[in-house]
Amino acid sequence: MRNASYATAARKVPFGLPDVAVTLGVLTLLAVIAKVGAGAFVPFTAKIVPHVDLDPRNLPYYAARSTLRMFVALVWSTLFTLVYGYFAARSKRAERVLIPLLDILQSVPVLGYLSVIITAFIALFRGSLLGLEFAAIFAIFTSQAWNMTFSFYQSLKSVPHELQEAAALYRLSGWQRFVQLDVPFAMIGLVWNAMISFGGGWFFLAASEAITVLNHNYTLPGVGSYVAAAVAAQDLRALGWAIVTIAVVIVLVDQLFWRPVVAWADRFRFEQNAAAEAPHSWVFDVIRAANVPVLVGRVWVPAADSVGRLLAAVTDAWFATRRPAREGGRGDRLFNAAVIGIVIALSVVALRFILTTVGFGEIFKVFGLGLATMARVAVLVALATIVWTPIGVAIGFNPRLASALQPVVQFLSSFPANFIFPFATLAFIRLGVPINLGAILLMALGSQWYILFNAIAGAQTIPTDLREMCDDCDLRGWRRWRRLIVPGIFASLVTGAITASGGAWNASIVSEVVSWGNTRLTAAGLGTYITEATTGGDWPRIILGVSMMSLFVVAVNRTVWRPLYGYAQKRFTQ
Amino acid sequence: MSDELIRCEHVYKRFPLPGGKGEFTALSDVSLSVRSGEVLALLGRSGSGKSTLLRIMAGLIPPSSGEVLSGGEPVTDANPDVAMVFQTFALLPWLTVLENVELGLEARGIRRTNRVRRALNAVDLVGLDGFEGAYPRELSGGMKQRVGCARAFAIEPKVLFMDEPFSALDVLTAENLRSEIDQLWNAGNFPSKSILLVTHNIEEAVFLADRVIIMGSNPGHLRGEVNIELSRPHNRSDARFAEIVDRLYTIMTNPDVTIAATGETPAVLGAAPHKSPFAQPLPHVRPGGISGMLQLLAEHGAQTEDVAHLSDRLSITADDLLSLLEAAVSLKFAEIADGDVTLTTTGRAFAASSIQSGKEIFRKQLLECVRLFDSIVRTLEGKKDGTMRVDFFLDLWDEYFPAAEAQRQFETAVDWGRFAELFEYDSLEGVLRLHESTAGEAKIGTLPAPAKP
Ligand SMILES: Nc1ncnc2c1ncn2[C@@H]1O[C@H](COP(=O)(O)OP(=O)(O)OP(=O)(O)O)[C@@H](O)[C@H]1O
Ligand SMILES: [Mg+2]
């Protein structure tokens, strides 16, 4: 066997230090999962709500429960992504339904339908904590899956034409094509997207562990519910511990999971020439230095071979690249008509339900509340852009500073802002800040980082020689911004603003109503409306509020962000 | 031998035009067959539908009407008798060389041990032994295409399809690979029964093929075929070889010429055989590079220098050196005979010149020795304002090179022309503009008066 990897494997010491580390690491991980996972199967009834103990010594356990939830959600998101994205990209008909649907799902505020999910899951898993567990996982899932699916779909759509032809001509089965062409091609985008979405997921985790739905308080053991309990008990010390814990968890997950995954995924880079700078991870280096994975891999080869062959045989008949069917046939027209019919029918049903229960006037009222929240989002995006763009550009222009601060900004953007809310609330109460304005600050806590992040990234793409040219021509101050910096970072800024405003709409549901102990602050806005409807179990209002928010998000996307993005692409990129 | 492997019968292909504005006919009534034991070349200008025809025969896209038979069976799906070598290699970067080669075998359900053996054989056949564990990104373009070939060889197809397999490679690498394929074929143990080659390059077609099918454009159709009745390997220095090449040039540059079905000398109407100046590829080197090499040669003192030694002494790759030499020879700065390079008087003068006088010598040589520059300058002079849209020239190159190479040819020509102060390239307006001094000189009469067509 002349294969290089076999040769090096044979030369290695059979069992070295890295092997000890890898084996111990895997065993520890399994033990922790077994211990923590068992907690999820505890029976529960609506009356005996699981108790959250504010003793900080319980925090590691709670953190482990929360983290496990995050990873279970990640697994589901990934599976969903692979299946949904695959069909959307490979079937023209599926695409026509799945992609607009995904667009809508992405615009619906996750926290808006959390109540719906929780009620459904509790009904499904009567008498077990598993119902709540799944509801929380589902909330995190919905915050991750749409992004990841879009990324995967777009990657699949951009598989180079010649590779597709090679796959067809060399008669790759559906399965083989999926694992050897489609998924590897999409891998890097998928990993980055998953990492960012996972970071965003902590926010939803914290929001979904303790929630009041239909006049019931539901609590799941975890850091999120720990924070909720600390707020109720007005315990600042416990809050501090919770923040430290979540910070440690985020850093650990990044170092032990995401860095290695990113370093591993680098092999799927599509550019044919050697990399400028490959991502690096010490954990990945240890795993690669160890022999155990290679040995396990080799044992696994025959099994993998037969599984692969089996799947190949099965998928050959189902998915084998068939030649594109003729477009615009009768079947297609029927299909389109059916889709449109279903959409119209659903809208009519929803509209009738709302009209008969809450009346026409309510719609106007909710629209007004929507305008209030939209104003908050707009102020937030504008302020954050003004504040963070110069700072981001300054960081981006300084490579050393940028590489030092990049992880910090990444950390900040995945840090769940709702852990900070109690402190802000307390400050608002003490200083007498009206919540109608304060809510903007709360919404900004989580979403502003996207703007900073993108400003840095945009500034980094401006070539150094262009900046030197500006120095040379004595182009300074405002002129320099107008001629060089703004055109250079415009596309990134728009991307940042889109993400930030999406995050802010979602955050409005938890930002417009905050409490400290028994003091409740409520701002006038769509977020408050949805939260109150959820707490009271008022279905028509829940549906009305969530639909209104989705409509606002979609409308703003279509009328503002998309055109702006198109303009940025056309005007400012080579 | 006359048993047919693949046959097209009255194949038409129409593509819908964007915006639902009717259809565009890419292929019109194409009938041809690929016979066992032959190398068949499809020769035609860009847009004549060569790739489309190849893909229809491979079963990758359906014909709009007509039929393709492979081994007597109608082709309705990816044609199992065919393997393809792609212009841009189409390798999976995350698989090693061996895994890439195994891909097609795995898809055919061949067990691992058997598969590895066959893949290794194919890798050996293309001279890549030792690189089985390498990833494509570690390989040069020529080696990547070898992997592409090995992947096709491994499944031992009846017909090997090659769509401009050498055009993404630099001239020398392409030549190298081309002659190796030819050797393999001539040796008689080639892994396929016949080869169908798509190409722009007339010499390539004559060198490799037993039969050349010429395609015309608007709509794509078959114009006829020419049998290459030379004994294999086809020898480029053979007078018959040059004759066939000239004949094909004539056919290609005269879209209206009809081709005698027998493959005998076509009935050329008037026009003397001539090559377009745009058909002759420029080596992609910079004038500064040529000048640098000549200076080093001149310093060395000796009259002649062995080419192989030169490569060591200048510590550049043989490929780069050969490109530089090719340029120097075509500009009559140097001569090569029996592996030795000798500077000409002009070459010595150029090496010893100052910047300004160097430019003058370079300009003179360009105009005298490379017809391309003469042609461009005349075209520009023919215009009142001395400018011409770049697309005009690109179209001319496009007839002989695939788009990317046409672009590179253009860039190299601009580089040389600018250095020689013959013309300027205005990228904002997308025009070539005659350089002021050239415009002046032309009036004095250094150049023959432009021949108005
Ligand atoms: N999928 C398609 N849709 C629409 N038009 C197409 C499509 N594929 C090819 N064409 C058109 O068909 C014509 C023939 O294209 P084809 O690629 O077969 O030419 P070719 O001879 O291979 O040219 P080249 O030498 O540049 O590769 C071209 O005008 C091209 O624009
Ligand atoms: Mg082509």
Side-chain angles (χ1 to χ4, degrees):
Chain A
M1 184 80 230
R2 270 171 286 180
N3 198 320
S5 64
Y6 283 79
T8 33
R11 253 186 281 115
K12 276 189 201 162
V13 192
F15 207 82
L17 218 51
D19 292 293
V20 178
V22 169
T23 315
L24 280 182
V26 170
L27 291 179
T28 317
L29 188 66
L30 289 178
V32 170
I33 292 177
K35 167 95 178 69
V36 172
F41 295 91
V42 173
F44 123 106
T45 55
K47 301 210 171 47
I48 318 163
V49 170
H51 172 68
V52 175
D53 190 344
L54 283 182
D55 186 345
R57 271 173 300 183
N58 291 321
L59 267 171
Y61 174 72
Y62 289 146
R65 287 286 296 266
S66 295
T67 311
L68 188 60
R69 245 162 247 151
M70 289 286 284
F71 275 99
V72 174
L74 181 67
V75 170
W76 282 112
S77 304
T78 310
L79 288 177
F80 175 86
T81 296
L82 295 180
V83 174
Y84 196 103
Y86 181 83
F87 282 105
R90 289 283 170 260
S91 156
K92 279 250 176 316
R93 281 186 189 169
E95 183 176 23
R96 244 170 292 153
V97 178
L98 293 183
I99 292 309
L101 185 64
L102 200 59
D103 215 14
I104 294 172
L105 283 172
Q106 214 172 13
S107 317
V108 179
V110 175
L111 295 179
Y113 52 80
L114 194 55
S115 48
V116 186
I117 303 164
I118 290 187
T119 342
F121 274 106
I122 288 171
L124 213 63
F125 292 86
R126 217 158 258 301
S128 163
L129 210 49
L130 263 183
L132 276 183
E133 199 71 65
F134 273 111
I137 288 169
F138 192 80
I140 304 164
F141 163 87
T142 51
S143 76
Q144 298 173 340
W146 319 143
N147 263 333
M148 290 168 59
T149 307
F150 251 124
S151 144
F152 185 60
Y153 162 78
Q154 267 155 359
S155 297
L156 289 193
K157 284 300 230 182
S158 52
V159 173
H161 201 68
E162 284 207 332
L163 285 186
Q164 298 188 32
E165 286 184 341
L169 199 58
Y170 286 101
R171 308 184 78 77
L172 266 57
S173 64
W175 173 248
Q176 212 190 350
R177 189 193 153 120
F178 187 66
V179 292
Q180 293 198 316
L181 176 59
D182 291 340
V183 175
F185 184 78
M187 188 62 88
I188 292 198
L190 194 57
V191 165
W192 277 97
N193 239 290
M195 185 167 83
I196 306 279
S197 308
F198 188 90
W202 291 108
F203 182 91
F204 299 97
L205 172 91
S208 61
E209 278 180 355
I211 193 170
T212 312
V213 178
L214 315 180
N215 296 322
H216 278 301
N217 286 318
Y218 293 109
T219 313
L220 266 179
V223 253
S225 48
Y226 184 92
V227 169
V231 168
Q234 307 195 357
D235 186 343
L236 274 177
R237 224 174 59 91
L239 267 178
W241 280 116
I243 287 176
V244 172
T245 308
I246 193 73
V248 170
V249 169
I250 290 176
V251 171
L252 278 182
V253 169
D254 183 64
Q255 286 296 312
L256 297 182
F257 184 74
W258 288 113
R259 295 289 131 201
V261 170
V262 167
W264 167 79
D266 191 53
R267 70 181 55 192
F268 298 112
R269 222 164 2 91
F270 189 69
E271 297 91 68
Q272 298 265 343
N273 28 22
E277 199 185 331
H280 192 77
S281 153
W282 59 271
V283 177
F284 186 60
D285 290 343
V286 170
I287 295 175
R288 230 181 359 189
N291 274 319
V292 177
V294 179
L295 292 175
V296 173
R298 220 180 298 174
V299 172
W300 166 243
V301 161
D305 263 5
S306 21
V307 171
R309 252 203 315 279
L310 184 78
L311 282 168
V314 173
T315 54
D316 208 15
W318 289 351
F319 306 108
T321 346
R322 245 167 285 123
R323 299 201 304 205
R326 300 254 153 93
E327 284 288 302
R330 242 192 61 177
D332 270 355
R333 276 199 298 275
L334 267 178
F335 179 79
N336 284 349
V339 170
I340 293 173
I342 292 173
V343 170
I344 291 178
L346 278 179
S347 319
V348 168
V349 169
L351 208 62
R352 260 200 56 189
F353 180 58
I354 291 169
L355 282 181
T356 50
T357 45
V358 295
F360 210 64
E362 185 82 2
I363 295 183
F364 279 105
K365 191 186 121 195
V366 176
F367 183 75
L369 292 175
L371 285 181
T373 302
M374 188 169 78
R376 280 193 194 105
V377 175
V379 170
L380 177 163
V381 171
L383 279 182
T385 306
I386 292 170
V387 172
W388 288 117
T389 309
I391 297 175
V393 169
I395 296 174
F397 278 174
N398 183 338
R400 288 246 301 283
L401 196 61
S403 63
L405 286 184
Q406 202 92 350
V408 177
V409 179
Q410 225 170 340
F411 168 81
L412 285 175
S413 65
S414 57
F415 188 88
N418 31 8
F419 277 49
I420 311 289
F421 281 11
F423 293 102
T425 313
L426 199 58
F428 294 161
I429 295 171
R430 297 269 159 84
L431 302 174
V433 178
I435 184 67
N436 274 323
L437 291 180
I440 300 179
L441 186 76
L442 292 181
M443 282 151 70
L445 277 178
S447 45
Q448 58 187 338
W449 308 117
Y450 297 112
I451 290 176
L452 176 59
F453 206 60
N454 280 288
I456 297 177
Q460 281 174 325
T461 62
I462 297 180
T464 324
D465 43 0
L466 280 187
R467 275 156 50 206
E468 282 166 356
M469 179 274 292
C470 283
D471 289 342
D472 226 36
C473 306
D474 218 25
L475 208 59
R476 295 188 183 287
W478 168 238
R479 286 233 186 98
R480 185 185 170 109
W481 275 86
R482 217 183 63 155
R483 290 276 168 235
L484 175 71
I485 300 175
V486 172
I489 63 173
F490 193 75
S492 310
L493 274 190
V494 173
T495 312
I498 293 175
T499 326
S501 86
W505 277 104
N506 239 320
S508 72
I509 293 173
V510 284
S511 304
E512 290 182 345
V513 189
V514 285
S515 53
W516 178 251
N518 291 323
T519 324
R520 243 167 91 87
L521 304 176
T522 47
L526 195 48
T528 306
Y529 184 84
I530 294 176
T531 312
E532 283 177 348
T534 310
T535 316
D538 185 350
W539 282 102
R541 288 194 167 75
I542 295 178
I543 294 176
L544 178 60
V546 172
S547 327
M548 188 59 80
M549 192 174 275
S550 310
L551 273 180
F552 263 99
V553 174
V554 171
V556 171
N557 273 348
R558 289 289 150 102
T559 55
V560 181
W561 297 128
R562 280 238 183 123
L564 213 52
Y565 194 73
Y567 176 73
Q569 292 289 325
K570 214 170 63 214
R571 179 77 174 71
F572 295 125
T573 44
Q574 291 92 349
Chain B
M1 260 186 273
S2 68
D3 53 324
E4 286 177 342
L5 296 177
I6 303 181
R7 188 161 92 228
C8 291
E9 284 175 348
H10 306 291
V11 163
Y12 284 79
K13 182 69 194 179
R14 300 177 200 93
F15 290 112
L17 282 172
K21 282 176 275 177
E23 287 182 327
F24 164 79
T25 306
L27 288 177
S28 165
D29 195 19
V30 172
S31 301
L32 64 85
S33 53
V34 182
R35 300 175 200 137
S36 186
E38 72 171 350
V39 180
L40 179 61
L42 282 179
L43 186 64
R45 296 186 176 187
S46 191
S48 55
K50 305 180 296 294
S51 301
T52 308
L53 179 58
L54 201 70
R55 277 160 178 72
I56 289 175
M57 290 167 77
L60 291 170
I61 49 176
S64 304
S65 67
E67 200 176 23
V68 178
L69 299 171
S70 185
E73 298 287 311
V75 172
T76 55
D77 200 350
N79 188 340
D81 296 339
V82 164
M84 179 120 82
V85 174
F86 293 87
Q87 185 175 6
T88 55
F89 324 132
L91 302 179
L92 299 180
W94 38 86
L95 300 184
T96 62
V97 167
L98 194 66
E99 287 164 344
N100 263 296
V101 175
E102 278 180 53
L103 202 64
L105 297 170
E106 192 184 343
R108 279 163 169 73
I110 295 167
R111 296 290 171 123
R112 185 172 287 270
T113 41
N114 199 356
R115 187 165 88 205
V116 169
R117 191 179 47 75
R118 280 176 67 174
L120 282 172
N121 279 342
V123 168
D124 282 353
L125 204 57
V126 298
L128 275 181
D129 18 351
F131 288 93
E132 296 88 351
Y135 286 92
R137 70 174 59 104
E138 302 162 30
L139 305 180
S140 68
M143 285 158 88
K144 282 181 200 163
Q145 193 57 297
R146 281 167 197 264
V147 182
C149 290
R151 181 176 60 183
F153 290 172
I155 60 171
E156 295 173 6
K158 289 215 178 79
V159 187
L160 178 69
F161 280 19
M162 304 178 107
D163 190 0
E164 303 191 26
F166 310 114
S167 63
L169 309 176
D170 66 75
V171 180
L172 288 151
T173 313
E175 180 51 36
N176 193 357
L177 194 53
R178 197 180 291 136
S179 53
E180 279 188 34
I181 299 268
D182 191 52
Q183 277 166 20
L184 270 181
W185 179 261
N186 294 335
N189 54 354
F190 201 78
S192 75
K193 288 190 189 157
S194 49
I195 300 180
L196 178 54
L197 170 79
V198 162
T199 181
H200 271 108
N201 183 328
I202 294 178
E203 282 216 17
E204 177 175 302
V206 177
F207 178 68
L208 285 175
D210 301 310
R211 192 157 65 102
V212 178
I213 291 188
I214 296 132
M215 295 190 65
S217 323
N218 292 326
H221 63 281
L222 296 193
R223 289 179 60 198
E225 61 177 63
V226 170
N227 284 317
I228 314 293
E229 279 151 355
L230 300 172
S231 57
R232 296 202 80 105
H234 299 170
N235 187 349
R236 284 205 173 84
S237 51
D238 187 341
R240 284 276 298 151
F241 189 102
E243 202 177 294
I244 298 172
V245 169
D246 281 348
R247 196 164 84 209
L248 283 173
Y249 270 112
T250 315
I251 294 170
M252 294 288 286
T253 46
N254 295 280
D256 307 322
V257 163
T258 48
I259 304 159
T262 54
E264 287 306 307
T265 312
V268 179
L269 309 169
H274 87 287
K275 265 192 205 179
S276 159
F278 288 84
Q280 189 66 39
L282 296 175
H284 300 295
V285 297
R286 303 191 148 260
I290 304 173
S291 150
M293 181 192 64
L294 294 177
Q295 278 170 26
L296 281 165
L297 276 173
E299 266 169 32
H300 190 57
Q303 282 299 308
T304 58
E305 172 84 289
D306 189 67
V307 175
H309 285 164
L310 202 58
S311 165
D312 290 344
R313 200 154 73 81
L314 303 186
S315 61
I316 53 176
T317 67
D319 281 1
D320 289 343
L321 177 66
L322 287 169
S323 299
L324 285 171
L325 284 174
E326 192 188 338
V329 169
S330 67
L331 291 169
K332 302 217 170 85
F333 286 143
E335 283 161 358
I336 297 183
D338 306 329
D340 289 335
V341 54
T342 320
L343 288 194
T344 60
T345 338
T346 330
R348 292 200 172 276
F350 183 54
S353 62
S354 68
I355 293 187
Q356 209 44 51
S357 62
K359 280 181 184 254
E360 247 156 59
I361 299 174
F362 195 78
R363 173 163 62 229
K364 192 157 156 290
Q365 294 308 104
L366 272 192
L367 289 171
E368 260 174 32
C369 313
V370 190
R371 281 162 55 223
L372 172 71
F373 289 90
D374 188 43
S375 164
I376 294 179
V377 169
R378 279 168 191 238
T379 310
L380 294 177
E381 282 169 353
K383 300 272 293 192
K384 238 186 276 154
D385 55 355
T387 65
M388 187 71 195
R389 292 205 54 78
V390 164
D391 299 342
F392 171 80
F393 299 109
L394 275 175
D395 282 346
L396 292 173
W397 268 298
D398 268 340
E399 290 184 15
Y400 304 97
F401 303 102
E405 178 58 24
Q407 184 66 32
R408 277 193 81 195
Q409 286 291 327
F410 164 73
E411 280 159 12
T412 303
V414 166
D415 196 35
W416 291 18
R418 273 179 167 164
F419 180 83
E421 298 183 353
L422 280 173
F423 45 78
E424 275 304 319
Y425 169 43
D426 186 336
S427 64
L428 274 184
E429 293 185 29
V431 295
L432 284 188
R433 180 174 294 125
L434 211 53
H435 195 273
E436 285 152 27
S437 69
T438 319
E441 264 176 52
K443 282 189 199 95
I444 305 166
T446 325
L447 294 167
K452 293 268 150 47

